[in-house]
Amino acid sequence: MPLHICFIHGKESGPWGNKGQLFSRIANERGHEFSALNYLSAENPDDPESRVKMLNAYLAETKIPGNELILVGSSMGGYVAARASQKYRAAGMFLMAPAIGLQHYPVQWPEIKAGSVYLVHGLFDRTIPWMNTNMLSQKLDCKIHLLADDHRLSDSLDLIEEDFLIFLAELESTLNA
């Protein structure tokens, strides 16, 4: 049974940037479905809750079963994935430099509902403190990979791919068990 990898891009990027292309390729190679909405077309793209509303509408419309749903979020997309999981529990969530623990966001520490969570963050991130992601990993008791990179993580795409393949293999094995 194929999984559905849903990529949620960050505030200033788009669905087909380097990360979107990476996750699309992995999904294709592994025989999984892939989706990536363009959140720049949300009602108010600068408002994370507007993006949450857009993702929730998509998940309601497509009716992707929770045991097949993998939410992959980058930066603001990590926040959007976390908030969406409150309504649509995911089998897995892979978050890169998630916008969690930020005072100017409507919900600083959204409750994450996912069977498996994997976090990645750059140690030189000047946009979102890596310590927020570290606190989240402790709260969730999940894996975290801190990388020698900045917020965009553009120098770490090979490592992100390795991490995601490990994460995905675990989900595939539980789904096929």
Side-chain angles (χ1 to χ4, degrees):
M1 175 181 343
L3 295 167
H4 185 104
I5 298 168
C6 182
F7 176 67
I8 304 123
H9 67 81
K11 182 177 181 178
E12 296 174 0
S13 62
W16 296 108
N18 290 336
K19 291 183 197 102
Q21 290 178 41
L22 170 68
F23 293 107
S24 173
R25 178 180 55 78
I26 292 170
N28 187 43
E29 289 173 357
R30 304 285 285 224
H32 299 304
E33 297 174 2
F34 178 82
S35 63
L37 301 178
N38 184 354
Y39 294 94
L40 300 175
S41 67
E43 276 180 33
N44 180 0
D46 291 335
D47 174 24
E49 290 299 314
S50 178
R51 293 177 182 219
V52 171
K53 182 179 173 184
M54 186 174 170
L55 178 57
N56 282 342
Y58 171 77
L59 294 173
E61 181 183 318
T62 57
K63 296 179 174 52
I64 301 164
N67 66 334
E68 297 173 16
L69 179 62
I70 309 298
L71 295 173
V72 178
S74 179
S75 190
M76 184 190 279
Y79 173 88
V80 172
R83 290 281 290 125
S85 79
Q86 294 173 335
K87 190 171 183 177
Y88 297 97
R89 181 180 170 84
M93 193 171 304
F94 188 89
L95 305 179
M96 298 160 287
I100 302 290
L102 302 179
Q103 291 182 354
H104 60 281
Y105 272 47
V107 181
Q108 284 185 302
W109 297 96
E111 180 183 356
I112 291 177
K113 295 183 180 178
S116 178
V117 178
Y118 197 110
L119 305 171
V120 176
H121 209 113
L123 288 169
F124 310 128
D125 189 334
R126 293 183 180 195
T127 305
I128 299 167
W130 67 266
M131 286 300 298
N132 292 10
T133 301
N134 189 55
M135 285 190 286
L136 181 61
S137 82
Q138 291 174 13
K139 179 181 176 184
L140 297 174
D141 191 25
C142 70
K143 294 179 183 175
I144 182 172
H145 190 174
L146 297 174
L147 302 168
D149 206 342
D150 61 17
H151 182 68
R152 297 177 58 82
L153 297 167
S154 55
D155 292 336
S156 302
L157 290 177
D158 289 346
L159 294 170
I160 289 170
E161 180 174 359
E162 289 175 22
D163 287 347
F164 187 69
L165 289 172
I166 291 166
F167 169 77
L168 189 57
E170 291 175 7
L171 289 169
E172 290 168 338
S173 69
T174 58
L175 189 63
N176 296 325

